[in-house]
Amino acid sequence: MTDEIARSRAALIPKGYLRAAVNLANIALVGVDPATGKFEGVSVELARDLSRRLGCRVEFVTYPSAAKILEKVDHDEWDVAFLAADPAREDRLLFSPAYALIEGTLVVREGSPYRSFADIDSDGVKICVTRNAAYDLYLARRLAHAKIVHASTPAEALDLFVNGNHDASAGIKQALERFIGEHEGFRVLLEPFLIIRQTIAVSRSHPAAGLLVLEFVEDALQHGFSENVVREAQSNGITLRK
């Protein structure tokens, strides 16, 4: 191991093992087996692959939302975070290339007249959104007429939508499809308003660590993801980048 690689490795895993921050609200990429309590999902398997490459163990640090991960960027709670890339986050984070693409879309009531993002961006419309989620940041830049109503987590956003005088709730496709499978009288808009680029991020204050993560993801994109990552992607309807 060269001195440069050793320094980069020390910057990435200062505790000697990998602390991977995961957002439990992103059910497309992270889950917990209810029978065993074991973490599963595309991001989880990628973290395990990265830890094997580093020759160390991985511990998962869980958060209820992306916003909570971002609050702890420089609090020494995690080494890498599985987050969506967004320009509004670039002042604090360095992002790897995207390893997966997921859809951001909207759920509305069955009798709603809204069929597209263009339809719903109208005066008087209220959309429930998880604060600082990738789709929140995007909608804040794109909406010209509709208003955002913030919640702390995706579950709270859906609860606001169902029980309040609101017109839609934003979220990732997999979560919203699960919601309509459990609740009658709702539908998910067919066309996504955002393709979310999922990445592995590190604090901008640790550029050497960022280089190791960059190399890891680029290698996976060039040579293919592990069988475990591919399996999790297929079972959760995730599009891996090539």
Side-chain angles (χ1 to χ4, degrees):
M1 183 183 295
T2 66
D3 290 344
E4 183 178 355
I5 294 175
R7 286 193 295 270
S8 296
R9 187 179 184 278
L12 181 57
I13 49 171
K15 303 294 185 182
Y17 61 92
L18 181 68
R19 297 171 295 174
V22 292
N23 172 15
L24 293 182
N26 191 339
I27 65 169
L29 296 171
V30 182
V32 180
D33 187 318
T36 65
K38 182 180 178 181
F39 291 103
E40 56 190 13
V42 170
S43 296
V44 170
E45 293 302 335
L46 272 175
R48 290 177 176 140
D49 288 348
L50 176 57
S51 70
R52 281 189 284 270
R53 180 167 176 144
L54 294 168
C56 68
R57 62 186 172 89
V58 59
E59 287 193 2
F60 294 99
V61 188
T62 62
Y63 297 87
S65 66
K68 293 300 182 182
I69 296 177
L70 290 163
E71 287 177 6
K72 303 298 183 178
V73 169
D74 290 312
H75 287 236
D76 196 30
E77 287 190 3
W78 51 262
D79 304 312
V80 296
F82 288 80
L83 289 168
D86 188 272
R89 296 172 174 172
E90 290 178 351
D91 62 328
R92 289 167 291 171
L93 297 171
L94 297 170
F95 296 104
S96 75
Y99 61 82
L101 305 174
I102 60 177
E103 297 180 0
T105 186
L106 296 160
V107 60
V108 298
R109 290 176 174 81
E110 190 64 58
S112 166
Y114 307 118
R115 299 286 169 181
S116 69
F117 180 75
D119 293 339
I120 211 163
D121 188 15
S122 304
D123 290 334
V125 170
K126 297 178 181 178
I127 304 173
C128 299
V129 181
T130 306
R131 187 181 300 277
N132 284 332
Y135 43 85
D136 175 34
L137 301 174
Y138 178 83
L139 289 173
R141 294 191 293 266
R142 285 293 307 275
L143 289 174
H145 305 285
K147 301 300 182 184
I148 292 174
V149 179
H150 281 120
S152 297
T153 66
E156 289 181 15
L158 286 167
D159 188 60
L160 276 175
F161 165 56
V162 171
N163 297 307
N165 185 27
H166 307 307
D167 302 280
S169 185
I172 60 173
K173 179 182 177 181
Q174 287 84 349
L176 298 185
E177 287 182 339
R178 176 184 290 186
F179 171 78
I180 66 170
E182 298 171 349
H183 300 80
E184 294 184 357
F186 302 93
R187 57 182 169 83
V188 174
L189 299 190
L190 294 177
E191 183 178 349
F193 64 82
L194 175 65
I195 302 299
I196 302 170
R197 298 179 298 119
Q198 294 294 327
T199 73
I200 306 177
V202 301
S203 169
R204 182 165 281 280
S205 61
H206 301 306
L211 286 175
L212 278 185
V213 172
L214 172 71
E215 291 172 1
F216 168 72
V217 176
E218 286 185 337
D219 186 63
L221 292 172
Q222 182 176 355
H223 299 105
F225 293 92
S226 70
E227 291 182 3
N228 289 338
V229 171
V230 172
R231 182 193 67 247
E232 291 291 344
Q234 291 173 340
S235 64
N236 289 284
I238 301 299
T239 300
L240 293 173
R241 290 200 56 217
K242 299 179 181 180

